[in-house]
Amino acid sequence: ENGSGAARVSTLSNGSHDGADLVSFQLSPTSSLKIQKGDITRWSVDGSSDAIVNPANERMLGGGGADGAIHRAAGPELREACYRVPEVRPGVRCPTGEARITPGFRLPSSHVIHTVGPIYDSDRNPEASLSNAYRNSLRVAKENNIQYIAFPAISCGVYGYPFDEAASVAISTVKSSADGLKEVHFVLFSDDIYDAWLKAARELIRD
Ligand code: AR6
């Protein structure tokens, strides 16, 4: 954990740069993990190829929660781009655990990576599915030369994943799969989830 900043600064809703609640962890000499509170629809890294991750559903045409907020902020072009993503079977554009990319349109971030986390009570292996969602989002980012990415707490809303368990899966997956990305951010909407993420990072990431 350290407080040193990278060359570029991330921006959130109030226009502030790297707020007081931002905590940074070094994952490798070239890769860091940053945890902060905030609204992911307002996140970007100035002047770079960046992406926010949308916790979507398999249909990938919008919904409530963060998905709804991201579609509202991106404008109707985002839904049109999602519609053009081919279905892999009827009604399914992005199976659980996979990821797809679109432009960000009116969002501050240049791209949106759509992923689908597990529905906690019905998924056969929610831990594997959640880890896949994080890992495949990171893979798609790297394939598209994105160096800065921001995640919300995938599956921790409507999909009902207990957030203390989700925190361990999120942090351990990012720790093992972030190589090649400069910064992986978590932008978290509530204090209890932010606290769970910080606790997991302090337990799982050693300096
Ligand atoms: N910025 C950051 N985090 C947010 C924001 C935001 N603007 N808005 C909500 N969150 P959820 P899921 C947090 O329900 O559980 C949708 O209908 C929220 O507090 O958005 O993966 C989709 O279409 C929670 O901690 O996603 C799917 O059908 C976290 O984001 C389904 O919900 C995720 O909550 C996906 O459910």
Side-chain angles (χ1 to χ4, degrees), residues 176-198:
S176 63
S177 308
D179 225 37
L181 290 159
K182 284 191 176 154
E183 295 179 7
V184 178
H185 289 239
F186 284 102
V187 179
L188 304 167
F189 220 41
S190 66
D191 289 351
D192 49 1
I193 291 182
Y194 171 81
D195 292 343
W197 250 250
L198 273 189

Side-chain angles (χ1 to χ4, degrees), residues 37-42 54-58 60-72 115-119 130 151-161 163 187-190 192-193 197:
K37 297 179 195 174
D39 175 352
I40 202 164
T41 68
R42 312 302 292 271
N54 180 18
N57 55 62
E58 291 189 330
M60 227 188 96
L61 292 177
D67 190 5
I70 288 167
H71 274 269
R72 277 193 299 280
T115 191
V116 181
I119 300 173
L130 186 61
F151 287 97
I154 297 168
S155 285
C156 289
V158 178
Y159 281 1
Y161 210 115
F163 56 77
V187 179
L188 304 167
F189 220 41
S190 66
D192 49 1
I193 291 182
W197 250 250

Side-chain angles (χ1 to χ4, degrees), residues 35-181:
I35 299 174
Q36 65 196 301
K37 297 179 195 174
D39 175 352
I40 202 164
T41 68
R42 312 302 292 271
W43 180 92
S44 69
V45 172
D46 296 345
S48 65
S49 185
D50 53 8
I52 63 168
V53 175
N54 180 18
N57 55 62
E58 291 189 330
R59 187 173 297 272
M60 227 188 96
L61 292 177
D67 190 5
I70 288 167
H71 274 269
R72 277 193 299 280
E77 299 94 333
L78 180 59
R79 193 176 186 282
E80 289 158 24
C82 286
Y83 191 78
R84 288 194 295 272
V85 172
E87 290 183 333
V88 296
R89 53 181 186 271
V92 176
R93 289 181 180 74
C94 184
T96 300
E98 295 190 18
R100 302 286 186 267
I101 191 166
T102 66
F105 300 103
R106 303 180 203 182
L107 287 163
S109 59
S110 57
H111 298 83
V112 178
I113 294 174
H114 307 261
T115 191
V116 181
I119 300 173
Y120 188 75
D121 283 339
S122 62
D123 197 283
R124 271 192 241 159
N125 189 345
E127 186 174 339
S129 295
L130 186 61
S131 185
N132 286 342
Y134 282 106
R135 196 173 46 257
N136 284 318
S137 297
L138 294 166
R139 182 179 52 75
V140 166
K142 286 180 240 181
E143 287 170 358
N144 287 275
N145 298 315
I146 286 160
Q147 293 181 309
Y148 301 85
I149 186 170
F151 287 97
I154 297 168
S155 285
C156 289
V158 178
Y159 281 1
Y161 210 115
F163 56 77
D164 48 346
E165 293 174 31
S168 300
V169 176
I171 299 294
S172 54
T173 306
V174 166
K175 184 186 168 191
S176 63
S177 308
D179 225 37
L181 290 159

